[in-house]
Amino acid sequence: MDAYDITIVGAGPAGLFATFYAGLRQMKVKLIDALEEVGGQVAVLYPEKYIYDVPGFRKILAKELVKSMVEQAFQFNPTVVLGERVLSIRKVDGGIFQLDTDKARSHYSKTVLVTAGVGAFSPNKLDAPGVAEYEGKGIFYFVKDKQLFKDKRLLIVGGGDSAVDWALNFSNWAKKVTLVHRRDVFRAHEGSVAELMKCGAEVKLFYEVKRVIGDGKWVKKAVIYDNRTKEETTIDVDSILVNIGFRADLGPIRNWGLEIKGREIKTNGRMETNIPGVYVAGDLAGQVDSVKLNLIATGYAQAAMAVNVAKNFIDPTAKIFPGHSSEMKM
Ligand SMILES: Cc1cc2nc3c(=O)[nH]c(=O)nc-3n(C[C@H](O)[C@H](O)[C@H](O)COP(=O)(O)OP(=O)(O)OC[C@H]3O[C@@H](n4cnc5c(N)ncnc54)[C@H](O)[C@@H]3O)c2cc1C
């Protein structure tokens, strides 16, 4: 049995920083994520947005932050397992944890750090004929690469922050941006909505997508309709970006024997859970008597605490305080 010192479940900001820290503490570390890419919410939900409250950066594009986090996290060569969702954690012989995944694989570890954020998340799908057929062929739920929309006719569906922010973002990038929203009230920030109305995008309120049409290879047209009059309009599109929210699912984590309230695993100031050897950090951590701040910076601090406490758990002679990295030979 190849048991790691620490296995980190979730490769968002908290998990990536924990991976770095565990390497710094010379621990044998494994990082597992259900997604095929690292970065968690930052990579999946808002890669093209600027973040202004990460220590050390006046502002940084989310995807650039992911790149930097990866560079820092992977310098000690951790084992990285992507595309595997951890389904269960249980103790086996010698106090080692066995983590079973949806790929029918088992991982073994002396300690486990759960940095699973809001859980494995998936976008709400647009329910209209043709949409499933053209998903990935012009219809997208996330923006992975802005280049795909350069000088293209883009239809954006939704009325929340993501839809409005992308409409603003692409108004000078795409050839034409049309935004359809089924109501006349937006969930998005009112300042952004005011900007949207001036940015040159065509905003169609009370409109929904009826069906999409393609040539078998790529989406070509969208039939939209006014949900008050039922009048239909067909528009030519090169891409459709659907931003109608996402659902997050803690799923199997609820059955790991951890004390969970709502979307939080209960933890103390040492990031310990009710199971000795299992720690939590990031959005998923519900620290008793603490203020809940679901921020990248908070997750970083919690990750550092969790890893240092875990180090001391597996080697009681090791100090919890790691020393200053500025005084280490790296
Ligand atoms: C639109 C938006 C804008 C934001 N802007 C900011 C901002 O400006 N500044 C800021 O500080 N914060 C911001 N945040 C919040 C910030 O992104 C989160 O606080 C942060 O991502 C939480 O990090 P995390 O590592 O705890 O979890 P996450 O980023 O949620 O990552 C968790 C990872 O765990 C994985 N996972 C879940 N369950 C399993 C499982 N069973 N097995 C394997 N893997 C699993 C998921 O796939 C995911 O990759 C924003 C959030 C959103 C949605």
Side-chain angles (χ1 to χ4, degrees), residues 9-15 32-35 37 39-42 45-46 49-54 84-87 115-121 162 246 249-250 252-253 256 281-284 294-297:
V9 181
I32 305 178
D33 202 291
L35 297 174
E37 61 179 322
Q41 294 172 51
V42 185
L45 297 180
Y46 57 105
K49 283 190 174 178
Y50 278 104
I51 307 174
Y52 300 89
D53 53 354
V54 174
E84 280 192 36
R85 185 177 189 182
V86 178
L87 297 180
T115 47
V118 288
F121 43 80
S162 295
F246 67 93
D249 178 19
L250 282 187
I253 297 174
W256 293 355
D283 279 11
L284 194 50
N294 285 350
L295 291 173
I296 294 163

Side-chain angles (χ1 to χ4, degrees), residues 163-197:
V164 171
D165 287 356
W166 282 127
L168 288 171
N169 208 304
F170 286 127
S171 60
N172 292 321
W173 180 264
K175 185 174 173 187
K176 178 175 167 65
V177 173
T178 307
L179 181 140
V180 293
H181 180 36
R182 63 189 167 147
R183 303 187 294 152
D184 62 347
V185 178
F186 285 85
R187 274 176 289 113
H189 189 275
E190 57 185 20
S192 306
V193 175
E195 261 188 78
L196 171 73
M197 298 306 177

Side-chain angles (χ1 to χ4, degrees), residues 5 25-27 111 279 306-316 318-319:
D5 290 331
R25 297 281 342 234
Q26 298 180 321
M27 296 166 85
T111 62
Y279 305 85
V307 169
N308 285 310
V309 172
K311 171 77 181 177
N312 174 259
F313 177 82
I314 55 175
D315 175 9
K319 286 185 179 153

Side-chain angles (χ1 to χ4, degrees), residues 185-224:
V185 178
F186 285 85
R187 274 176 289 113
H189 189 275
E190 57 185 20
S192 306
V193 175
E195 261 188 78
L196 171 73
M197 298 306 177
K198 295 183 288 191
C199 77
E202 185 177 3
V203 179
K204 294 182 89 63
L205 302 176
F206 296 108
Y207 269 81
E208 297 180 45
V209 174
K210 180 106 185 183
R211 64 181 179 279
V212 300
I213 301 159
D215 62 2
K217 291 192 193 126
W218 201 260
V219 69
K220 295 287 173 195
K221 291 176 192 296
V223 180
I224 56 174

Side-chain angles (χ1 to χ4, degrees), residues 84-190:
E84 280 192 36
R85 185 177 189 182
V86 178
L87 297 180
S88 66
I89 296 181
R90 65 195 166 94
K91 265 209 167 146
V92 290
D93 295 346
I96 298 292
F97 291 99
Q98 177 176 328
L99 295 82
D100 294 327
T101 73
D102 61 353
K103 297 285 152 50
R105 295 213 315 152
S106 297
H107 303 272
Y108 298 93
S109 195
K110 294 175 191 167
T111 62
V112 176
L113 171 56
V114 187
T115 47
V118 288
F121 43 80
S122 53
N124 290 328
K125 298 290 171 104
L126 184 61
D127 185 18
V131 171
E133 185 187 347
Y134 289 102
E135 191 174 323
K137 298 173 189 164
I139 299 183
F140 303 98
Y141 289 90
F142 301 111
V143 176
K144 291 241 169 88
D145 182 4
K146 266 181 86 169
Q147 281 301 334
L148 203 60
F149 306 104
K150 180 86 180 145
D151 299 326
K152 295 285 164 48
R153 292 161 302 186
L154 173 64
L155 172 65
I156 298 178
V157 185
D161 276 310
S162 295
V164 171
D165 287 356
W166 282 127
L168 288 171
N169 208 304
F170 286 127
S171 60
N172 292 321
W173 180 264
K175 185 174 173 187
K176 178 175 167 65
V177 173
T178 307
L179 181 140
V180 293
H181 180 36
R182 63 189 167 147
R183 303 187 294 152
D184 62 347
V185 178
F186 285 85
R187 274 176 289 113
H189 189 275
E190 57 185 20

